[in-house]
Amino acid sequence: MTSLFKSSPYRRRRDDLEDGGSRSTDFDANGESSDPFDIPSTKNASIDRLRRWRQAALVLNASRRFRYTLDLKKEEEKRQILRKIRAHAQVIRAAYLFKEAATRVNGTTESHPSPVGDFRISQEQLSAITRDHNHDVLEELGGVKGVADALKTNVEKGIYGDDADLLKRKNAFGSNTYPQKKGRSFWMFLWEAWQDLTLIILMIAAVASLVLGIKTEGIKEGWYDGASIAFAVILVIVVTAVSDYRQSLQFQNLNEEKRNIHLEVIRGGRRIEVSIYDIVVGDVIPLNIGDQVPADGILITGHSLAIDESSMTGESKIVQKNSREPFLMSGCKVADGSGSMLVTGVGINTEWGLLMASISEDTGEETPLQVRLNGVATFIGVVGLTVALLVLIVLLVRYFTGHTKNFDGSAQFKAGKTKASTAVDGAVKILTVAVTIVVVAVPEGLPLAVTLTLAYSMRKMMRDKALVRRLSACETMGSATTICSDKTGTLTLNQMTVVEVYSGGQKIEPPDSKSQLPPILSSLLVEGIAQNTTGSVFVPEGGGDLEISGSPTEKAILGWAVKLGMNFDVVRSESNVIHVFPFNSEKKKGGVALQLTDSQVHIHWKGAAEIVLASCSEYVDASGNIVPLDQDKMSFFKKAIEDMASCSLRCVAFAYRTYDMDKVPADEQELTQWELPQGDLVLLAIIGIKDPCRPGVRDAVRLCQNAGVKVRMVTGDNPQTAKAIALECGILSSEEDAVEPNVIEGRVFRSYLDAEREEIAEKISVMGRSSPNDKLLLVKALKKRGHVVAVTGDGTNDAPALNEADIGLSMGIQGTEVAKESSDIIILDDNFASVVKVVRWGRSVYANIQKFIQFQLTVNVAALIINVVAAISSGDVPLNAVQLLWVNLIMDTLGALALATEPPTDHLMQRPPVGRREPLITNIMWRNLLIQAAYQVSVLLVLNFRGRSLLGLEHETPQRANIVKNTLIFNAFVLCQIFNEFNARKPDEFNIFKGITKNRLFIGIIGITLVLQVIIIEFIGKFTDTVRLNWKQWLISAVIGVISWPLAVVGKLIPVPQTPLHKFFTMMFHRSCNTPSSQ
């Protein structure tokens, strides 16, 4: 089975026993593996690829096995519904415009619906404006200002926003929610668990056994066999359904969390953060690049505002928004620029709400491990089916040829003498055993163990401040070999303060000393800061502390300006914004053109210090005069930037220039396309902003390095600042390391040819002044080198890199909605330590699945061999159908619950990453598995054939001796599994009890299994075909089980080869194939 054994795509440490080696894999013409179960990454896998592995899997219960995978049929239906709704909306809009044109031709006017409640406008009118993009109705109502007045909204300060006001608006216009399709009920899961073919056959067999038993032995004694099988099947179904239902509830809660976007609204003049569900009609919402438009609305003000409407129209076209095209649709993304909008439609009254209510979100998504486990399950299932068929044939032949004996030595079947009903009953019992072997042998729960451990891990990761958006990312993170991390807010605290200032040609100390700045310089600085910002300053009416909002950098700059005497609202009222060039991560600066009251035009720029300085030709000196920026002063400012950067300060420069009003485009369309002049600037100030390293980040970086995961810093900041922070964080170990190519600038990296870039990428530890495209190039280069790459990002332009990376990690606090939607995991606290916790959980998922595989295969191998050998040699099986169903329950559902929910340990971070093509069953696992299975098989077979004499049962009747012997075999077998479950916890460690108290679920399941086993043996023997055991027999069973512990310790002393087991078989196969040809 090729999918069991995959090799690592990169070089591994030699001393890790669990590592696999490399192997060759067959690939088709497209470069894809010919093995349907070999999909290293499902992130961008084609539908055809996903369909292939489903068709190749051996499945007994398709509805259950494929429940958490992507529903390919539903996905196609969803696309069709989307197309219909989009077409439907466009038809409505076209019909409305046609009707309007007809109305104008006829000279008639349409009466508008009456207003609702306290508002002078109805929901129908609002819908006519936004959903139908109707300019005429908007103009009729007095434009944006008229609609705002009708909605009792101040376009600058927003709504009043108290509880009474919000309630009125929700009653009048609805809330920003839409009806969601209910999740599946418990009864649906019960029905799905029932669909298993083997369980259906067993129920039919149970009914047949019940009928035949009552007919031959009477109702008093004859109902036990059939009823016990039926009860065991029902128990398996109920336990399976309960487990699956609990998993589905966890996924539902996580999906709710994903949909609950938080954003800023302006209420009562202040910016506050609210849930998207709490937005009401009349709200004023600031829009910035990367935001999602949370409701339908009209543009109030916008600067270079461009909206990506592909989610609604299906066309990947960016639409510019201005006074001629002011309509905004819910669910679209802000591609560029900034602005503010007035909400006119929420929830089901928007196209987005209509669309979301019409489609049920399919949360299914297969993970690479899940696909591989389906391959493993298929392989084991084929073996199991073959064995079951063999047992069936052997037992039937023995029975009908008279070789199956009763306890007194007489044949159970005599041709021409045995009644037909007795013969049928015997055949049904044989069929039942064979089918039960299939139930035990086909590990239907193996792929579902992945979703169980992922559901558990996702819930726990939420507590560790990580929200998983894509299931596969959770396990892929365990294979990550490198993390490309942002600096600001991830490695640093994002708590910024201005600590150094250079202005007027000198250093200002302290930095907020207004007296050292000439009035003209102070005035220009404050003007540029107040107008060229996406933040705001709110002054409470009753006094109190100022509330500064915006990004951490904006807050630091605004806070510094307030100390210089800035009155935010007054300064902003003294000039009008003509045009804005939003901050651009490519150009590293942003600008604004202002018209002053005397018709002067000032253009202010703010951005990366060395980039803004390079555009300056003059500066304002200490006397307030504008003087040329000569070589000496240029060197002085450059030295200041270098000094601040080497102290890990973020350097920001402010500059301005005047401009002729006559040269400013008068046409709105031309103004939108106008590029602000960027040359001949006058330098106003350069500031150094301190953003301290996060506590514990150095330890987190060291933990990654010890775990074989290289941390690389990719930042838009000055390379000197980046280098200083990298030294502080431990990404660079010393100053000697801080040389190219370890530390490199984005522009240098992008100038290399592809082959050179791949070589350099391997060595990079810090990349400064990088653009989002540089980050994307780095990710591609590292992936080509065989790395599994995790990338953090928070900006809209990071989306391509987040999408390209194996694992995209967006920031929950500073991240834009576009970045979050492109990512696989959202780091809720923006902390690098949380990224490292995700790596631990990713490795834990893989380790837990391996523990479960080792445990389950041990049970499979032992149960199959015991029954097959016994059936072939004596025509009788020591483990009957009910007993095997109980073993299946321990092994499948309860075993998965116990082992798949093991919390991560420090040991996981002391070994290299798990290769994505490494064997699922490592040499260590094979060793442990074979030792335990060999022990169980040999001990229990000895008991089966020599049990009567060994247990001192010679004086008992043959029937009594046989049932006591079989009961002890069953009891010892179950106790072996219980004790072996402890061994499975630590496949490569001697102390199997380490950390056991942290997993209460494991202890609980072991306790429950033990109690139920005692009840089965001592109280319900009629149903399980067992008898009570005395204390000596219980002791023998327990000793047989306990021996598995010291045996496991001895087994771990046996060294295993580095080369995976399958390679020996492959080499032997090749040798045998080559031998004839060489002769």
Side-chain angles (χ1 to χ4, degrees), residues 899-910:
L899 293 170
T901 55
E902 278 281 318
T905 61
D906 292 336
H907 178 68
L908 293 170
M909 297 298 282
Q910 289 163 9

Side-chain angles (χ1 to χ4, degrees), residues 68 243 246-251 254 448-461 471 474 845 900-901:
Y68 295 111
S243 171
R246 287 193 65 223
Q247 269 177 261
S248 80
L249 292 179
Q250 287 174 13
F251 283 126
L254 287 164
L448 283 173
V450 180
T451 50
L452 183 73
T453 188
L454 285 173
Y456 167 78
S457 301
M458 283 165 71
R459 195 175 79 247
K460 293 288 186 183
M461 283 165 75
L471 273 179
C474 198
V845 167
T901 55

Side-chain angles (χ1 to χ4, degrees), residues 865-890:
I865 293 174
I866 290 164
N867 269 10
V868 170
V869 172
I872 292 171
S873 58
S874 66
D876 188 26
V877 286
L879 300 172
N880 64 34
V882 177
Q883 292 166 1
L884 282 173
L885 283 171
W886 168 234
V887 169
N888 183 63
L889 200 61
I890 296 171

Side-chain angles (χ1 to χ4, degrees), residues 529-555:
I529 290 170
Q531 291 287 23
N532 191 12
T533 183
T534 54
S536 67
V537 179
F538 175 71
V539 184
E541 288 180 8
D545 294 338
L546 297 178
E547 292 178 20
I548 301 174
S549 61
S551 70
T553 309
E554 293 284 10
K555 282 159 83 171

Side-chain angles (χ1 to χ4, degrees), residues 158-404:
I159 62 173
Y160 188 63
D162 64 356
D163 290 343
D165 183 27
L166 294 175
L167 187 61
K168 278 180 195 171
R169 291 174 188 276
K170 283 180 181 176
N171 289 338
F173 305 107
S175 59
N176 201 26
T177 55
Y178 51 87
Q180 292 175 26
K181 296 194 174 178
K182 284 185 178 180
R184 283 181 292 190
S185 67
F186 172 71
W187 304 109
M188 284 294 292
F189 286 96
L190 207 59
W191 174 250
E192 280 185 6
W194 174 257
Q195 303 302 302
D196 196 313
L197 180 63
T198 50
L199 296 181
I200 291 168
I201 294 170
L202 284 175
M203 282 305 279
I204 293 167
V207 171
S209 181
L210 190 68
V211 170
L212 290 166
I214 291 170
K215 188 178 178 185
T216 54
E217 298 176 43
I219 196 160
K220 195 171 181 182
E221 294 292 324
W223 67 279
Y224 284 114
D225 279 358
S228 56
I229 295 170
F231 177 75
V233 171
I234 290 165
L235 184 65
V236 168
I237 289 168
V238 170
V239 172
T240 302
V242 169
S243 171
D244 291 350
Y245 179 60
R246 287 193 65 223
Q247 269 177 261
S248 80
L249 292 179
Q250 287 174 13
F251 283 126
Q252 276 179 36
N253 294 337
L254 287 164
N255 285 325
E256 277 300 316
E257 198 67 40
K258 279 192 270 185
R259 283 192 289 259
N260 189 12
I261 298 167
H262 283 80
L263 66 158
E264 280 190 336
V265 300
I266 300 171
R267 289 179 182 170
R270 70 203 298 180
R271 290 191 184 199
I272 60 168
E273 194 176 271
V274 299
S275 163
I276 192 169
Y277 300 130
D278 295 330
I279 287 169
V280 293
V281 168
D283 262 327
V284 173
I285 298 175
L287 296 174
N288 291 301
I289 185 168
D291 287 348
Q292 178 175 312
V293 179
D296 281 2
I298 314 167
L299 185 68
I300 299 171
T301 58
H303 305 293
S304 309
L305 188 67
I307 303 290
D308 177 2
E309 294 185 345
S310 58
S311 59
M312 288 308 303
T313 61
E315 298 171 19
S316 53
K317 185 180 171 186
I318 305 298
V319 181
Q320 294 290 331
K321 295 293 176 181
N322 47 45
S323 59
R324 284 185 293 187
E325 189 57 47
F327 305 110
L328 298 162
M329 289 191 288
S330 177
C332 300
K333 306 288 186 300
V334 180
D336 200 6
S338 60
S340 62
M341 68 174 277
L342 173 70
V343 174
T344 58
V346 292
I348 204 70
N349 295 314
T350 68
E351 273 180 47
W352 180 253
L354 188 71
L355 192 142
M356 295 309 287
S358 303
I359 56 173
S360 56
E361 191 176 352
D362 183 15
T363 55
E365 171 228 339
E366 47 264 69
T367 72
L369 198 52
Q370 201 177 6
V371 176
R372 286 175 72 187
L373 281 172
N374 268 288
V376 175
T378 298
F379 174 64
I380 299 167
V382 168
V383 173
L385 278 171
T386 308
V387 169
L389 194 63
L390 182 69
V391 169
L392 180 66
I393 293 166
V394 168
L395 289 179
L396 284 173
V397 168
R398 285 186 66 98
Y399 180 76
F400 286 110
T401 56
H403 286 84
T404 305

Side-chain angles (χ1 to χ4, degrees), residues 590-605:
V592 62
L594 307 173
Q595 183 181 354
L596 279 60
T597 48
D598 57 0
S599 292
Q600 280 190 64
V601 174
H602 284 179
I603 294 170
H604 285 273
W605 285 96

